[in-house]
Amino acid sequence: MPEFNPSQLQYGGDYNPDQWSRDVWLEDVTLMREAGVNLVTLGVFAWANIEFAEGDYHFDWLDEIFELLHENGIGVDLATATASPPAWLTVKYPEVLPVTASGTRLSHGGRQGYCASSPIYRERAKALAEQLAKRYGNHPALKMWHVNNEYGCHNPMCFCDVSAASWRRYLRERYGALDELNKAWGTSFWSQRYHHWDEILPPRQTPDGTYPNPSMMLDYYRFSNDEILSLFTMERDAIRAVDPLHPITTNFMTMKHTKFMNYWKWAEEVDFVSTDHYLIADDVDNHIDLAFEADLTRGWAKGKPWLLMEHSTSAVNWQNVNLAKLDGQMLKNSLSHVARGSEGAMFFQWRASVSGSEKFHSAMVSHTGTDSRTWRNVVELGEKLAELSDVTGTDTEPAQVAIMFDYESWWALSQKNLPSDNIDYTHLAHEWYATLWQLGVRVDFVSPKASAAELSKYPLVLAPMLYLMSEQTEAQLIEYAENHGSLVVSYFSGISNERDTVKLGGYGGKLVREILGVFVEEFSPLLPEATQVLSNGMAAHRWSEVSEARGAQVLASFTDGAASGSVAIAKRQGSKPSWYLATSLEQQSLRNFFTQVVQELQLVTAGGNGVEVVKRGSRVFEIDHNSGTISF
Ligand code: GLA
């Protein structure tokens, strides 16, 4: 497997020269050199400018650009241009277009307008990837391959008949016998039993006020993820057959609400992880969100080099109000990623478009040109990255705390008919992460498949709302808590198995009942505006539950409502202490809770209260979000 081992930090962005005339290309390379750009991502959305009709390829402009970039010492991350099928393809084969859950076939005109199961899309995408690999696989400017773009961003699920056939094939493979599927989905409920495979449809829109079977829906998330991932591996293998030397990646999406792709799985298929991150402008703590996402990316990469493939120099174009970045914010954002292991800082995009729906998205070269704050920032960042080249190839110092992050729990909790609409998987994970960030405690991320041995590297493992818990995950967590370290587990964890079948005999399964020592018998979620003061004076919201301690020490109990007197916070002594949080603590209380945990476990802290301190290689990055100062 070719490795991604750059000799310097990568700097540049998406480059779309096909939107510009040749005289602009010359200015581009001059400016790229001025800014210290050493890598550009070429041709992400260029399919229609390369293939004019089926099999009618035009590479002249790409040939020229390759030469020009090479002459100027700029490397190429070549996209396979398959992210947006051209109009000729969807006119000739309209069945390529995706269909929504309510049966509407979408039109050409945006981007990513294809169904992942479409054999025609697959055939044409593979052919294009092969053509590009044959033509540019040996070009000295080529540094890496960039397959498609942000898979599943706009078309994470398709509900057409072609998808339905593929879905049935997937289910046959997963369950073998129809009876197994009926058992897994609990189809004795609401007359949902299947007597023949052909009766199974995708989870299309159901009558008002009802929703598809949740276990089926969960499998549709899995199927859709795997189907899209197989698009990637198809292109990857087509390139690899021609060019065995250059690493192949595809850019993941680390934005707060991108849930459809299970990147633990994707990370196993790419030669190296790359990702895109955009700030949510109206989130005042969006730098903490950035740190969360960068640490999560580092988790997927498992200590191997990864790359921030896109972020923005300033405003984006797709939020309600697209705030410009403050002075110094871009530098802080880029360095916060580099501190967490990114082998550089790349942007969308090099030069701001003048037409199309992204014309008001910031870029490295803005509409104003070089007489601008953006350009000065871009040149400054290029200088800093050059100064930092010694961190290239080094890892960030591992944290002492790990969050177990699980897409499948997120998928199950994204559905309807749960005890409350007021519980949110990623929200809770973010709250815990942010609290520790403010306490100066760094956090790594681990997959629910992590073994007890992997977990044992951490004195503390957190399981916020790990709703689905397979036997295997539960066994590893138990082994960890009994022999290696401390757990903090939240309410609504371990409720169902991987089929979303509820575990009987006390909610939370063996982990909560026997290891954490709390017997939970009924949920009692709180109304959105309700706050409850617990017996220890802490403030809680969103959740309570009727329970009793069976082995745990009760640190706080609920004081009101159906759960009055039940366990709110419990502690249990295993090899080390572990905690069960049966509610969502409000900000200050959560901080107090984690302060106690950190003190008791004697975890190392650095920075905190708005200051992040991250060690990478021989550098200590210190980014002070209060004063704006940065040192490294
Ligand atoms: C995504 C895409 C880019 C661009 C940016 C805009 O990350 O990959 O092509 O559309 O969003 O923020």
Side-chain angles (χ1 to χ4, degrees), residues 318-334:
W318 45 264
Q319 295 175 18
N320 293 337
V321 176
N322 295 299
L323 299 184
K325 286 196 177 175
L326 302 172
D327 267 339
Q329 197 175 4
M330 179 187 108
L331 182 64
K332 277 191 275 183
N333 295 162
S334 302

Side-chain angles (χ1 to χ4, degrees), residues 23 52 76 111 131 154 181 219 230 311 330 342 381-382 399 423 542 575 581 604:
D23 51 318
F52 290 9
V76 174
R111 63 181 186 183
Q131 289 288 328
H154 307 287
L181 175 145
D219 273 345
S230 75
H311 67 319
M330 179 187 108
S342 175
L381 177 57
I423 50 177
R542 296 193 199 121
S575 69
L581 260 184
V604 176

Side-chain angles (χ1 to χ4, degrees), residues 534-567:
L534 304 177
S535 60
N536 67 349
M538 287 185 176
H541 56 169
R542 296 193 199 121
W543 192 265
S544 70
E545 54 194 25
V546 180
S547 68
E548 67 178 31
R550 294 198 182 162
Q553 177 193 353
V554 179
L555 301 183
S557 41
F558 295 106
T559 55
D560 196 13
S564 183
S566 294
V567 181

